[in-house]
């Protein structure tokens, strides 16, 4: 972050030298925008990746729907009750109506307003009252994640129902519905096509996924966190490397892009943790082995 | 970054209180690992996204090869000379042998050792001599990007040649070849299947893509930067929002996951730039509108 910090310092210097009505009132340097926000909210790369995921989901689900219409076998995307990641099995589809399951925040909805607020304040730790205010008041400050609008339109046109499972709070379900609508993602109905977190319940989503899979043939799921696919990825006390290896188990790896679809989000979540030793368990380059070690 | 900073401070405090042979020598708090590195190198999410991209590339290319074998029309993935992003046209395939084009750093190879070195030092600005040392000495400190090994093996088995276009320096082509081999990505031959940056030439890759497309039917390209697909994304003076919109033009958006494949990298590159105003051109939430503005 050296370059942005330098830019901020220069800006501050030029601000101090300014005179007249537009001179800044206080010598407060604007903080550099954390790279995570620059990338997620500002980069063409993140927009392209999100479109890549939603495009892949759309093609996969439409192909599966066509296969199912011909009587071919289809594989549900929700893990069967009790199934392990090492030997996954899938909730049966039977004759249930087709659906997909989506996470909301940073998967369907880009919380542009809340991310602006956090970036402006230097990426502080999660602040419960502030997030509550956002859930209540933020609906007009959101964007769709790139590709989500087109994907949901195409899937609804093919008779596939989008169902949202989110840890937004059930007491703010009206506002969650408004946020989805404001992002152009259509309608959602609490308890039918939207399952938020009830007060006093776990942040885990397996129970809600099972509820949905009991009534629907869930052909695909999309999320920005591994917990949007199975709570097994969030077992307590697991170090980052072990968790990363879980995501690469053969039976799991086979689902990425084939029923399970990831949206990138380096801003928050269980993927942005770990000490230097945990994040880099091996291949620790000692740096240049000459005198020159600037 | 508040939580890691607090953890570091606590670690420091406990360090100060320690006695005996294992007490730390100096009260230097270990720096928190920047989130970009935690996510790219440590998260299951990033590993899953990379596997998702390589899986999609593999399926797309194998399907296209099969289509081509039946005499069907195939679309090359390199922009035709002079084509615009607004109305893209593609270099002709004719009877040329099938290939894919890959970027190297953070696309095929994860520079784990260099990323460790940068994370440890707090994500400093790009350091030319240090990077030169890495290009020369780093080959045994790299990993493959998740999914790359399996994808290249499957594509080579189908007669598709992987060709690397990278801004690693041509004077270190021997070491670049070593790094690819060390990552399990097979052989590369400078000037034939590997095109590095010659001293004194531009970092743009369009010329090298044109050289490759003149001899090969390039069915897909994969990279972590928009510049791995066209230099038009890196026009001078373009602000982040304009660049992001370029990546979402209809003719461009149609290629994400269908010939053009993105690998996530929030650590460096033209995607991690921009002031607060540039990164958030609109939807600037003013924060909670009550007294409580902690």
């Amino acid at each position: 972050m050296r370059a942005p910090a330098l830019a901020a310092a220069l800006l501050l210097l030029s601000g101090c030298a300014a005179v007249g009505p537009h001179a800044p009132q206080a010598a407060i340097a604007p903080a550099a925008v954390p790279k995570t926000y620059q990338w997620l909210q500002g980069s063409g790369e993140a927009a392209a990746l999100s479109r890549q995921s939603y495009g892949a989901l759309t093609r996969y689900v439409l192909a599966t729907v066509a296969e199912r219409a011909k009587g071919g076998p289809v594989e549900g995307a929700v893990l069967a009750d009790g199934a392990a990641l090492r030997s996954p099995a899938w909730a049966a589809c039977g004759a249930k109506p087709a659906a997909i399951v989506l996470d909301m925040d940073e998967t369907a909805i880009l919380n542009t307003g809340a991310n602006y607020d956090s970036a402006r304040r230097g990426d502080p730790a999660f602040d419960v009252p502030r997030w509550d205010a956002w859930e209540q008041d933020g609906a007009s400050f959101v964007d769709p994640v790139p590709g989500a609008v087109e994907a949901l339109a195409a899937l609804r046109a093919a008779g596939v129902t989008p169902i949202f499972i989110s840890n937004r709070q059930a007491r703010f379900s009206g506002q969650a519905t408004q946020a989805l609508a404001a992002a152009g993602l259509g309608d959602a109905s609490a308890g039918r096509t939207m399952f938020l977190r009830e007060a006093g319940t776990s942040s885990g989503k397996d129970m809600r996924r099972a509820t949905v899979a009991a009534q629907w043939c869930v052909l695909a799921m999309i999320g920005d966190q591994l917990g949007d696919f199975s709570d097994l990825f969030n077992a307590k006390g697991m170090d980052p490397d072990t968790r990363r290896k879980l995501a690469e188990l053969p039976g799991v790896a086979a689902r990425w892009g084939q029923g399970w679809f990831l949206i990138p989000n380096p801003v928050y979540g269980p993927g942005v943790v770990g000490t230097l030793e945990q994040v880099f368990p091996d291949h620790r380059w000692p740096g240049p082995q000459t005198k020159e070690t600037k």
Side-chain angles (χ1 to χ4, degrees), chain A residues 11 17 20 24-25 61 76 110 116 158 161 177 183 192 214 218-219 226 230 234-235 237 251 284 289-290:
Chain A
L11 218 141
Q25 293 302 302
V61 172
L110 206 49
Y116 163 77
T161 300
T177 306
R192 205 185 79 81
V218 178
L219 294 172
L226 296 181
S230 168
N234 290 335
R284 296 177 189 157
Q289 295 308 291
T290 65

Side-chain angles (χ1 to χ4, degrees), chain A residues 208-244:
Chain A
R208 285 173 279 172
R209 277 186 283 264
T211 299
V212 171
Q215 298 184 49
W216 301 87
C217 170
V218 178
L219 294 172
M221 302 200 289
I222 187 161
D224 64 319
Q225 309 285 342
L226 296 181
D228 293 324
F229 305 94
S230 168
D231 293 347
L232 295 170
F233 292 114
N234 290 335
K236 274 218 161 64
M238 189 160 45
D239 67 31
D241 192 49
T242 304
R243 186 169 175 274
R244 184 163 165 116

Side-chain angles (χ1 to χ4, degrees), chain A residues 9 163 165 169 188 268:
Chain A
I163 298 176
I165 299 183
Q169 299 160 81
Y268 60 81

